[in-house]
Amino acid sequence: MTAEPQVQPPGTPFNFAQHLIACNAQRPGKVAYIDDHGHMRYGELANRIRRLAAALQACGIHREERVLLLMHDCNDWPVCFLGAMYAGIVPVAVNTLLTADDYAYMLQHSRAQAVLVSGALLPVLQDAIAQGGHEIGRVIVSRPAGPLAHGMIALDALIDSHAPLPAPAGTGPDDPGFWLYSSGSTGRPKGVLHSQGNPYWTAELYAKPILSLCESDICFSAAKLYFAYGLGNGLSFPLSVGATVVLMAERPTPEATFKRWLENQPTVFFGAPTGYAGMLAAPGLPQREQVSLRVCSSAGEALPADIGERFTARFGCEIIDGIGSTEMLHIFLSNRPGQVRYGTTGWPVPGYVVELRDEDGRPVPDGDVGDLYIQGPSAALMYWGNREKSRETFRGGWTKSGDKYVRNADGSYSYAGRSDDMLKVSGIYVSPFEVEATLMVHPSVLEAAVIGVPDEAGLTKTKAFVVLKPGAQVSETELKAFVKERLAPYKYPRIIEFMDALPKTATGKIQRFRLREMESAPA
């Protein structure tokens, strides 16, 4: 348990877009966003938000109706997201790497009245719309590549044709604000409904007190804006303090990331463990004196200690590892600057309460693995149209995360895997992450994923899938011996398969269920 921070809750009415406009009213000339095409100052951002809000209303879209936001990270993204919220319309931010089938489902599921789309993504959207199932009133295109079909309009033309909306919708902090879709790793993605007030809380409880974000910071996030993690990193957090944000449309490869580090000199970088591992192994890794990083953040999966230690040794900059979720919107359990214990996820963020419980819902003692439950003010309202899953996850004031953790003697928490990834070997629970983290300490290993596979007798044994660093060589026998020296004997992987790459989600999370499917598929 931690002390409740002294943060003033938002009153009524409360509109998050208007809140951010008010936060930056005194800095209209400061650069808010830098994308691949130019920059946008805070005064221009506020003006475009209010003009788009008026335009959406003029299109006949009503308060609390949804609009799909399918857009690469660019200066138009925050305009569209916040413009909808300013009007009381609910933006549904979606992953740009999905298929037409996925978007057809999301259009029908959300009953979106319009789509705000990047010109480069218009073909896949048109394929989705052609599947039918839901009629779209208007398609609004950012940076169209050519002439637009009937019923479509360029975003700039739409914004320029309307005067700013005089006042925001009179929403309250508990009113519907926006949707995000869960990853859908176990079925169709779930529409996670967040309130107008939720992003306020993540900025007040995490960005300001934990990361100490301030107006002079330049923020750059490898995680895209359509993810809960990226939305905080690139919108809620920096705009709450008047910082500058660097946006990048392309994939966050090491080369693309280094380019922004060198050209834009961000002071705060937000990444994920896979990305940090890839950067440390990349040939173009900058020198410490070439960058301006003061603090880095990691989420998505637990950060292996070795990666954090090597990164800090290289740049003199700590990686603040934490865990959040789409359902809680951002990080609720975290290390903090000056108090980093690599190999753990740190301590509860003040304002949140966490508990570990067994399968019967009873608290577990320190040192035992338990299911992670969270209580805090940024929890989602529900999964749209899915009462069963909503009841399973949102339990009174608590949210069940689906993660397994261990509480250490110093009050920090160590990740033990997803609830559906835990293995029971020789009658004892084994955390795949613990074995993976140990494998990744080996100098030849870039990435590793561990699952359980049945042996001839039907008993569960651990199997590791390993990706080696470029040019590295190591044998299966050597890796097994390496793990045996560092973990209890029953934990070492009985089988090791070398791979060129591991299956991952768009956020870089390893998809262990794909590996399990590969193992169970008939030969």
Side-chain angles (χ1 to χ4, degrees):
M1 301 273 180
T2 55
E4 193 76 18
Q6 299 303 307
V7 176
Q8 186 67 31
T12 302
F14 178 81
N15 181 287
F16 185 64
Q18 172 58 26
H19 167 71
L20 294 181
I21 290 173
C23 284
N24 298 291
Q26 303 306 312
R27 52 176 74 90
K30 183 169 187 236
V31 173
Y33 282 98
I34 303 168
D35 71 1
D36 299 333
H37 302 283
H39 63 260
M40 178 170 59
R41 301 183 188 277
Y42 271 104
E44 182 186 359
L45 173 63
N47 183 54
R48 286 173 67 82
I49 287 170
R50 295 173 59 213
R51 284 177 178 270
L52 180 61
L56 292 175
Q57 288 187 350
C59 288
I61 305 170
H62 302 103
R63 181 168 162 176
E64 296 188 12
E65 290 182 332
R66 274 77 60 196
V67 292
L68 204 76
L69 177 51
L70 173 59
M71 195 173 288
H72 289 134
D73 279 19
C74 65
N75 292 346
D76 285 340
W77 204 106
V79 170
C80 293
F81 186 84
L82 294 172
M85 290 187 73
Y86 191 88
I89 294 164
V90 179
V92 180
V94 298
N95 189 330
T96 59
L97 301 175
L98 303 180
T99 67
D101 289 345
D102 294 317
Y103 299 133
Y105 166 77
M106 290 172 175
L107 287 169
Q108 185 172 12
H109 181 247
S110 67
R111 296 195 286 278
Q113 299 301 299
V115 182
L116 298 143
V117 60
S118 290
L121 295 168
L122 187 55
V124 70
L125 173 67
Q126 290 175 302
D127 289 345
I129 292 173
Q131 293 187 24
H134 177 70
E135 185 175 343
I136 303 300
R138 178 76 80 161
V139 175
I140 303 163
V141 186
S142 167
R143 293 188 172 273
L148 296 175
H150 177 72
M152 299 182 183
I153 186 170
L155 175 65
D156 285 344
L158 184 66
I159 289 175
D160 292 343
S161 64
H162 289 81
L165 194 66
T171 52
D174 293 333
D175 283 347
F178 59 94
W179 288 21
L180 301 171
Y181 271 97
S182 66
S183 63
S185 59
T186 57
R188 281 291 195 185
K190 299 181 287 293
V192 183
L193 174 54
H194 278 285
S195 71
Q196 287 271 353
N198 282 1
Y200 165 88
W201 284 112
T202 63
E204 294 298 318
L205 297 179
Y206 192 72
K208 296 179 182 181
I210 302 298
L211 298 180
S212 299
L213 282 192
C214 61
E215 183 179 2
S216 61
D217 277 318
I218 300 174
C219 300
F220 174 44
S221 175
K224 301 301 185 182
L225 286 164
Y226 53 76
F227 296 120
Y229 181 46
L231 181 64
N233 306 341
L235 192 150
S236 308
F237 290 3
L239 298 193
S240 292
V241 299
T244 296
V245 186
V246 177
L247 295 178
M248 177 176 72
E250 64 185 298
R251 288 179 56 249
T253 62
E255 295 75 21
T257 300
F258 299 156
K259 182 175 185 287
R260 273 72 181 184
W261 282 8
L262 297 174
E263 291 183 358
N264 303 112
Q265 293 293 305
T267 57
V268 185
F269 174 71
F270 301 86
T274 299
Y276 286 113
M279 287 189 290
L280 287 170
L285 185 67
Q287 299 297 321
R288 179 185 298 199
E289 61 272 14
Q290 293 179 282
V291 301
S292 299
L293 300 172
R294 71 166 183 85
V295 67
C296 291
S297 170
S298 181
E301 286 196 306
L303 180 75
D306 176 65
I307 292 175
E309 289 162 359
R310 288 193 288 126
F311 189 92
T312 298
R314 175 76 174 200
F315 294 106
C317 170
E318 294 175 316
I319 299 178
I320 309 305
D321 186 30
I323 183 176
S325 67
T326 306
E327 291 77 9
M328 293 302 296
L329 191 55
H330 214 278
I331 291 171
F332 49 81
L333 185 63
S334 180
N335 284 273
R336 52 212 66 192
Q339 188 185 2
V340 171
R341 185 180 165 195
Y342 284 131
T344 79
T345 314
W347 295 262
V349 172
Y352 294 89
V353 179
V354 303
E355 284 187 3
L356 299 183
R357 303 177 185 174
D358 64 17
E359 294 175 358
D360 297 319
R362 296 170 299 199
V364 301
D366 287 1
D368 285 4
V369 174
D371 290 307
L372 180 66
Y373 286 75
I374 314 101
Q375 190 175 68
S378 63
L381 300 174
M382 63 174 174
Y383 296 127
W384 180 262
N386 196 331
R387 180 177 292 187
E388 179 183 358
K389 288 293 184 182
S390 293
R391 286 176 169 172
E392 185 179 313
T393 299
F394 305 108
R395 306 189 178 194
W398 294 91
T399 301
K400 184 179 181 182
S401 75
D403 296 289
K404 295 277 191 181
Y405 265 85
V406 174
R407 187 177 186 272
N408 305 308
D410 64 355
S412 65
Y413 288 75
S414 294
Y415 183 64
R418 291 288 297 173
S419 297
D420 54 2
D421 287 333
M422 288 295 290
L423 308 176
K424 208 165 194 179
V425 180
S426 301
I428 306 172
Y429 275 115
V430 174
S431 163
F433 177 76
E434 183 183 20
V435 183
E436 292 163 5
T438 303
L439 283 164
M440 289 175 65
V441 173
H442 193 283
S444 296
V445 175
L446 177 63
E447 294 180 315
V450 171
I451 65 170
V453 296
D455 65 10
E456 298 82 358
L459 301 174
T460 298
K461 303 297 181 186
T462 50
K463 177 174 181 177
F465 297 83
V466 171
V467 178
L468 297 179
K469 293 176 181 176
Q473 290 186 333
V474 65
S475 71
E476 180 176 357
T477 302
E478 288 173 304
L479 277 185
K480 288 180 179 179
F482 183 83
V483 176
K484 280 183 182 179
E485 291 171 0
R486 289 160 175 79
L487 295 179
Y490 65 89
K491 296 182 179 180
Y492 86 93
R494 302 312 199 267
I495 310 165
I496 296 178
E497 181 176 332
F498 295 99
M499 302 181 74
D500 293 331
L502 297 174
K504 295 173 186 172
T505 67
T507 57
K509 293 182 182 179
I510 295 170
Q511 295 176 310
R512 293 171 186 82
F513 76 96
R514 297 285 185 205
L515 297 172
R516 289 193 289 267
E517 288 174 355
M518 287 166 45
E519 287 298 304
S520 61

